[in-house]
Amino acid sequence: MKVLLVEDMAAVRDALVAVLRAQGWRVATVGTGIDAVAAVEDAVDPPDLVLLDLGLPDLDGVEVCRRIRGRSSVPVIAVTARGHDSARVMGLRSGADDYVVKPFSVDELLARIEAVMRRVSGHALVSTVTAGPVTVDLGARSVLVDGAEVALRRKEFDLLAALARRGGKVATREELLDDVWGLAPDDVGADAGRRTLEVHVGALRSRLGVPGLVVTVRGVGYRLALGTGDRGAR
């Protein structure tokens, strides 16, 4: 799942990004209402969910929600410090699917996301991925190989989760650098990040001990082999 996080406060944004990525989700961030609307309307890879702060520097979040709803049916959860009933009603009437008041717990936020996505899609979000003898629990951040738990370092798990949530589809090197390290292709350190990615892929393969599980797609990136007959080239 791809989440668009609309939040202008860096500390809040960074904390929420960490929470969402820990669930194995992709996260795109913007800090203004105009950028939020554009990210929904013009995106080649549109979000599956929008977490929308209502206190934005350029447009009121309620207006942003109205504009998003006028262009897309993407689920929107309003995230705000406005806790009084009139603000909540206004947010919901503008098209938000749910409303979370700051401060909130991580468990509450994740439960509301789960409930909204279940209503929209008709089923719960996938939190466990099985690939051959490997089971990845994205919510619990645990990995089993042939039923035995394998301890991974934080970035190793983040890398495995980024591959697992794509369901066997290829993840480009650029996507993995963004998902795991937060590096865009033109960021300072992106070249070093690519070397770091290769090192982490090697370490992940070694710790899991399942030949052919992490498949190299030459010139593109990596994918996870989901079936025992799907091994590909390392």
Side-chain angles (χ1 to χ4, degrees):
M1 184 172 76
K2 180 180 179 180
V3 179
L4 174 65
L5 174 60
V6 187
E7 172 62 65
D8 64 313
M9 296 182 62
V12 176
R13 181 180 64 243
D14 293 347
L16 287 175
V17 166
V19 168
L20 298 170
R21 284 182 172 164
Q23 303 306 305
W25 301 330
R26 292 184 293 154
V27 185
T29 62
V30 295
T32 68
I34 294 296
D35 287 342
V37 175
V40 172
E41 184 177 23
D42 303 329
V44 175
D45 180 21
D48 301 295
L49 172 74
V50 177
L51 290 182
L52 173 64
D53 179 46
L54 297 187
L56 298 171
D58 59 337
L59 293 175
D60 184 82
V62 172
E63 175 61 23
V64 175
C65 190
R66 288 196 185 101
R67 294 189 187 186
I68 288 175
R69 187 54 67 235
R71 294 161 169 79
S72 171
S73 60
V74 62
V76 177
I77 297 179
V79 181
T80 181
R82 305 173 190 176
H84 49 88
D85 287 344
S86 60
R88 184 176 186 276
V89 170
M90 185 178 296
L92 293 173
R93 284 181 174 172
S94 70
D97 295 88
D98 205 346
Y99 196 101
V100 184
V101 179
K102 300 175 183 176
F104 52 82
S105 70
V106 169
D107 287 343
E108 179 188 1
L109 176 63
L110 295 179
R112 288 184 180 275
I113 292 174
E114 174 77 19
V116 167
M117 297 308 294
R118 184 168 56 245
R119 290 199 300 268
V120 170
S121 65
H123 56 77
L125 296 175
V126 174
S127 61
T128 302
V129 176
T130 299
V134 178
T135 300
V136 185
D137 189 324
L138 299 172
R141 292 182 65 83
S142 67
V143 180
L144 302 178
V145 177
D146 289 325
E149 187 165 3
V150 174
L152 298 180
R153 293 189 173 94
R154 183 168 63 89
K155 290 298 185 185
E156 292 168 353
F157 182 87
D158 291 345
L159 175 58
L160 179 59
L163 294 170
R165 67 172 176 253
R166 285 172 169 81
K169 295 180 180 178
V170 177
T172 68
R173 290 178 175 84
E174 290 74 21
E175 288 172 336
L176 293 173
L177 286 173
D178 184 26
D179 285 4
V180 180
W181 286 273
L183 288 173
D186 56 351
D187 283 347
V188 174
D191 288 340
R194 292 182 184 91
R195 293 190 292 274
T196 299
L197 172 60
E198 293 174 0
V199 171
H200 278 74
V201 168
L204 178 62
R205 284 170 169 160
S206 177
R207 288 183 187 278
L208 294 175
V210 181
L213 179 70
V214 180
V215 178
T216 299
V217 181
R218 291 184 176 87
V220 182
Y222 303 92
R223 67 178 178 87
L224 212 58
L226 297 186
T228 55
D230 178 14
R231 283 294 179 254
R234 288 190 58 164

